[in-house]
Amino acid sequence: MHVCRLKKFRKREDILNKKSVLQIVNEDKNCFWYGLACLMNPNNRTIRDNRNIKARTKISSELCRKCKLNWNEEVSFMHLPIVEKTFNCNIYVIDLNNIPQLGANIKLWNCLMYKSENRNNQHYYFLFDNEIKHYDCITDIKAFLACRCFCNNCLSSFLQKDTYENHKCSLQKMKKENKKNESKMVKELSHYLTK
């Protein structure tokens, strides 16, 4: 008899109530900017407090102005490369409604909504609720995934440090293979050009 195992997903309330998730409470369309301000200023407790609207708005609107985007407009995934380029950082957006149960090894690829090429060692993680078009932010990805180590290249979590240190990213393998094939392609290019 074959038993089909369905992938279990975590409840929305359980995710948002984690200590590593900072819920952004707002009445305007600037939840992304509020979250980014909190992530870029982790020691500033005044902007994390949802009651201190003036301080949070001041810092967030300055971030928006630096990116030359419009304040009080929804930030779409098309705007995220502009933000990454302006602040030289990496932004990852995770689907809030598609996060799997905690396990020994979690890969975020399946629930990732946005990721660009790695450009710096600053990594900012956001949760996005597609139904209400709202961003919340993850202050600590390792605490969020309940793991000891996390690889920002292959987006995998590890429970043991030695496993993390000995793992080889699939992205690193692909880059090495591309470099090997690159020299072959250059040699064959002249052959195709002469034809």
Side-chain angles (χ1 to χ4, degrees), residues 84-107:
E84 288 179 317
K85 185 177 180 183
T86 303
F87 299 113
N88 193 23
C89 65
N90 297 312
I91 294 175
Y92 304 90
V93 181
I94 300 168
D95 186 0
L96 177 64
N97 301 313
N98 191 24
I99 296 177
Q101 290 286 348
L102 294 176
N105 189 4
I106 298 173
K107 293 192 180 212

Side-chain angles (χ1 to χ4, degrees), residues 18-186:
K18 288 183 74 69
K19 289 182 182 179
S20 57
V21 173
L22 182 62
Q23 291 187 48
I24 305 299
V25 178
N26 62 315
E27 295 179 1
D28 52 15
K29 297 179 181 178
N30 300 313
C31 54
F32 174 80
W33 299 114
Y34 298 143
L36 186 63
C38 292
L39 291 174
M40 292 179 94
N41 303 292
N43 298 327
N44 190 340
R45 293 180 185 237
T46 57
I47 61 173
R48 287 182 174 226
D49 188 358
N50 288 318
R51 297 170 294 179
N52 197 345
I53 297 170
K54 287 183 181 179
R56 186 171 76 168
T57 303
K58 182 180 176 183
I59 294 172
S60 302
S61 62
E62 182 63 25
L63 295 176
C64 180
R65 187 190 64 74
K66 285 182 180 177
C67 293
K68 298 178 182 173
L69 295 173
N70 295 326
W71 182 250
N72 208 18
E73 274 188 20
E74 287 181 13
V75 175
S76 71
F77 295 164
M78 302 294 278
H79 295 121
L80 295 181
I82 298 168
V83 177
E84 288 179 317
K85 185 177 180 183
T86 303
F87 299 113
N88 193 23
C89 65
N90 297 312
I91 294 175
Y92 304 90
V93 181
I94 300 168
D95 186 0
L96 177 64
N97 301 313
N98 191 24
I99 296 177
Q101 290 286 348
L102 294 176
N105 189 4
I106 298 173
K107 293 192 180 212
L108 287 180
W109 281 110
N110 296 334
C111 55
L112 202 64
M113 297 177 85
Y114 175 84
K115 178 199 180 306
S116 65
E117 288 190 31
N118 288 344
R119 63 176 74 232
N120 196 354
N121 59 355
Q122 292 291 348
H123 304 278
Y124 301 125
Y125 290 88
F126 287 88
L127 289 171
F128 185 70
D129 190 345
N130 203 20
E131 294 172 11
I132 59 173
K133 307 289 185 213
H134 180 76
Y135 290 94
D136 291 302
C137 55
I138 300 172
T139 57
D140 184 0
I141 191 67
K142 290 188 273 187
F144 179 74
L145 296 173
C147 65
R148 287 193 179 162
C149 300
F150 182 77
C151 178
N152 288 304
N153 288 327
C154 63
L155 300 174
S156 298
S157 64
F158 299 90
L159 295 178
Q160 297 175 349
K161 192 173 183 178
D162 59 336
T163 310
Y164 166 71
E165 291 171 350
N166 295 327
H167 93 283
K168 293 182 181 178
C169 293
S170 56
L171 292 178
Q172 290 173 343
K173 289 178 187 175
M174 285 172 40
K175 286 179 184 177
K176 285 180 183 176
E177 287 176 11
N178 287 342
K179 285 182 181 177
K180 287 178 186 176
N181 293 337
E182 195 174 283
S183 63
K184 291 178 186 175
M185 291 172 64
V186 171

